[in-house]
Amino acid sequence: MSKNVVSYMRVVSGEFKGRPLKSVPGNTTRPTTDKVKESIFNMIGPYFSGGTVLDLFAGSGGLGIEAISRGMNKAIFVDREYKAIQTVRLNLEACKVSEDHYEVYKNDSERALKALVKRELVFDLIMLDPPYKKQKLIDLLTFIEKYNLLTESGYIVCEHGSDIELPEEVGALRQTRKETYGMIGISIYQIHKGIEHNEVQE
C-alpha cells in the first residue's frame, strides 16, 4: 500500500516570504507551483493595499496565503475536502496569520458562493482553481458576474488545463490576460468598464 506523501511549497513574496507550505496529502489535489504562483501575482499585483480574496478551491491555501502575504487584509478559503481544510489551517498557523485575517469553510463551490451572496460580500480577488473542466469555470464566472461578487477594479484568476480556451467575455467580465505554463493555463478576468453591471432581481 502506498503512503501519502506531503510535499512542500513556499510563500514566494511579501510578509511571509520563504515560509514553507504543506500540500494536501494524496494525489486528488493539484497544487499551484511556486513559479506559476509568482507569475500570477506579477500579472495582478504584485502587491496590494488591503482588500479581500476568495480562494474558492483552496487546496493547500497557497494562493490565498500568498495574497495575504502581499497585502490583502482578509482571505476566505473554501474547499469541499476535509484533508484540504486541515492543510489550509496548518499552513495558516505555520505562517502565523492572525485569525481576524481569514475564514475557512468546508463546502462545495456552489453552496459557498450562494452563502457569500447572502452575506453581501464582494471581493478584490477571486481565485478559481477547480478540476480542469471548462464548463465548471464558465458556470462559476457567470454566477460571480450575475451576483456582483467582484469589485469594480477586482481580478478573477482562473487556473485550468492549457488545452482549455475560455470565452473572451462572460457578461460584463472580460478576459484581460491569458498565459500558458506547460500543461497549466491561466486566464484573468476583470469587469469591463464600458458594460453596465447587473442589477440582481429578487
Side-chain angles (χ1 to χ4, degrees):
M1 190 171 77
S2 63
K3 293 181 179 178
N4 283 335
V5 177
V6 179
S7 60
Y8 288 84
M9 304 158 291
R10 66 189 174 92
V11 179
V12 176
S13 190
E15 183 181 353
F16 312 128
K17 181 179 178 179
R19 300 274 177 91
L21 299 173
K22 292 182 180 180
S23 62
V24 181
N27 58 9
T28 57
T29 300
R30 163 186 40 77
T32 303
T33 66
D34 290 346
K35 179 183 176 182
V36 173
K37 191 161 54 177
E38 184 169 23
S39 297
I40 288 170
F41 282 93
N42 283 341
M43 286 188 274
I44 62 174
Y47 302 101
F48 310 100
S49 300
T52 304
V53 56
L54 171 62
D55 196 349
L56 190 58
F57 299 84
S60 66
L63 290 170
I65 290 171
E66 188 75 32
I68 297 174
S69 182
R70 291 170 181 259
M72 290 267 172
N73 52 26
K74 180 110 186 214
I76 294 180
F77 299 89
V78 178
D79 203 287
R80 66 181 184 180
E81 300 292 338
Y82 179 66
K83 285 189 295 185
I85 293 301
Q86 282 183 307
T87 305
V88 170
R89 291 192 179 280
L90 286 171
N91 284 333
L92 288 163
E93 289 170 14
C95 292
K96 296 182 170 56
V97 182
S98 171
E99 288 187 11
D100 59 349
H101 289 312
Y102 66 84
E103 298 174 22
V104 183
Y105 298 103
K106 182 182 179 298
N107 210 341
D108 66 44
S109 56
E110 290 84 359
R111 281 196 199 134
L113 287 175
K114 287 174 183 175
L116 295 170
V117 169
K118 283 184 180 177
R119 290 174 63 185
E120 299 183 347
L121 295 179
V122 292
F123 297 91
D124 302 281
L125 176 59
I126 297 175
M127 301 292 204
L128 301 179
D129 184 16
Y132 286 159
K133 292 180 182 175
K134 178 179 179 179
Q135 192 57 46
K136 177 85 166 178
L137 278 167
I138 295 172
D139 289 347
L140 291 167
L141 289 167
T142 300
F143 187 96
I144 289 164
E145 193 272 341
K146 178 179 179 181
Y147 290 98
N148 302 333
L149 283 166
L150 187 69
T151 61
E152 291 292 330
S153 57
Y155 294 89
I156 301 173
V157 176
C158 302
E159 186 173 337
H160 50 80
S162 57
D163 58 330
I164 287 176
E165 288 284 335
L166 293 176
E168 289 188 8
E169 293 184 357
V170 179
L173 298 174
R174 176 172 287 178
Q175 189 181 113
T176 56
R177 193 81 181 262
K178 182 173 67 173
E179 299 291 342
T180 301
Y181 306 92
M183 295 175 66
I184 296 171
I186 301 294
S187 299
I188 295 174
Y189 287 84
Q190 290 183 276
I191 294 169
H192 179 40
K193 301 299 191 293
I195 299 176
E196 295 241 348
H197 224 11
N198 277 323
E199 290 293 329
V200 179
Q201 301 297 323
E202 292 298 332

